[in-house]
Amino acid sequence: MILLIRSLFKQVRKPVLAYAIGTSLYLLMLALLYPSMMKTGLLEAKLEALPPEVLKAFQYDKVTGFENVLDLLGGNYYGLIFQVIASLFLLSLAARLVARPIDNGELIVYLAAPITRNAYTFAVAIVMGIASIVLVGLNGLVLMVSDWWMTDISINDVILWRIQLNALLLLLAIGAFTLFVATLFDEERRAFSLAGSVLVLSIVLTILSELSDKTEWLRYLSVFSLFNTTQLLEGTNHFLLHSILLLVLCLVFLTGAVVQFGRRSLSI
């Protein structure tokens, strides 16, 4: 199992590091620019100039009074941007590890060895989990280093890692869903299209829920409602509930992936 996990992770190592390093550099840039942006008032002026609909789409709950860099990142990264990154990140992993090997017949090489379908599914799930930990962990470490390095950022470590944990659970839930969808089809294109369509719909529902009080209920049809940065920054009691629900979704889809992949007939 360990050799299988190492082999699978080696296949996705480059894209995982690209996502993790790329997003971390973006966070580092925002953290380094934050003090000067607050002193000049440039950021607040630009945000106030944007239409309210645009701000709501990017989930900016306030455009003034940023107390620390996490308030800025709540809308500038841990909102719509993170939803898109999370979707693309896990769709690409599921495609590389499951959908593509089924489509091109590569999976027969693994199954010809003493590797069961359940073992392969669990190995893929573990690799996707490790990839998610690398992404979230590096993001958090970069922000912590920024806080130690500079004096005007004022990051609360408890809130920071609460956000990172919630983000990790969101990635695990989406990863389990994309893995489940990847086990449904023999063609990579069909698996990618279905999973991608569901995730795009979830993002659209989240955006629409922000545009009016009448459409606010649409948020609860999207998995991204379980990662609410505003509530995390305010320290509300939704963190535990959202974490439990994300963990349940992860287990449900992972179980579905194991059962589906174990019973289906593969055309390889």
Side-chain angles (χ1 to χ4, degrees), residues 14-28:
K14 290 183 178 179
V16 168
L17 291 178
Y19 272 97
I21 294 174
T23 55
S24 296
L25 289 176
Y26 176 70
L27 291 175
L28 178 61

Side-chain angles (χ1 to χ4, degrees), residues 56-91:
K56 289 181 179 180
F58 279 86
Q59 300 175 29
Y60 270 108
D61 292 283
K62 59 181 179 180
V63 297
T64 60
F66 293 104
E67 297 179 359
N68 57 67
V69 73
L70 290 180
D71 288 337
L72 170 64
L73 295 179
N76 214 305
Y77 178 70
Y78 291 109
L80 179 61
I81 294 176
F82 185 77
Q83 294 172 16
V84 173
I85 289 175
S87 300
L88 293 175
F89 179 62
L90 292 162
L91 279 171

Side-chain angles (χ1 to χ4, degrees), residues 98-105 107 182 185-186 261 264 266-268:
V98 181
R100 188 174 303 171
I102 293 177
D103 195 2
N104 61 21
L107 187 62
F185 303 102
D186 291 338
F261 196 50
R264 64 171 294 190
L266 297 176
S267 57
I268 56 177

Side-chain angles (χ1 to χ4, degrees), residues 87-88 90-103 128 174-200 260-261 264:
S87 300
L88 293 175
L90 292 162
L91 279 171
S92 64
L93 290 183
R96 286 172 179 267
L97 296 174
V98 181
R100 188 174 303 171
I102 293 177
D103 195 2
M128 295 179 74
I174 297 176
F177 166 72
T178 56
L179 173 59
F180 170 70
V181 174
T183 63
L184 296 177
F185 303 102
D186 291 338
E187 298 180 15
E188 178 185 359
R189 177 181 55 82
R190 294 175 63 189
F192 192 90
S193 298
L194 177 59
S197 298
V198 172
L199 292 174
V200 169
Q260 168 63 22
F261 196 50
R264 64 171 294 190

Side-chain angles (χ1 to χ4, degrees), residues 246-268:
L246 287 171
L247 186 59
V248 169
L249 286 175
C250 176
L251 294 176
V252 168
F253 282 117
L254 179 57
T255 301
V258 172
V259 173
Q260 168 63 22
F261 196 50
R263 66 190 298 181
R264 64 171 294 190
S265 176
L266 297 176
S267 57
I268 56 177

Side-chain angles (χ1 to χ4, degrees), residues 40-55:
T40 60
L42 179 63
L43 175 64
E44 294 179 353
K46 286 198 174 290
L47 290 177
E48 288 178 337
L50 291 174
E53 292 78 11
V54 174
L55 294 173

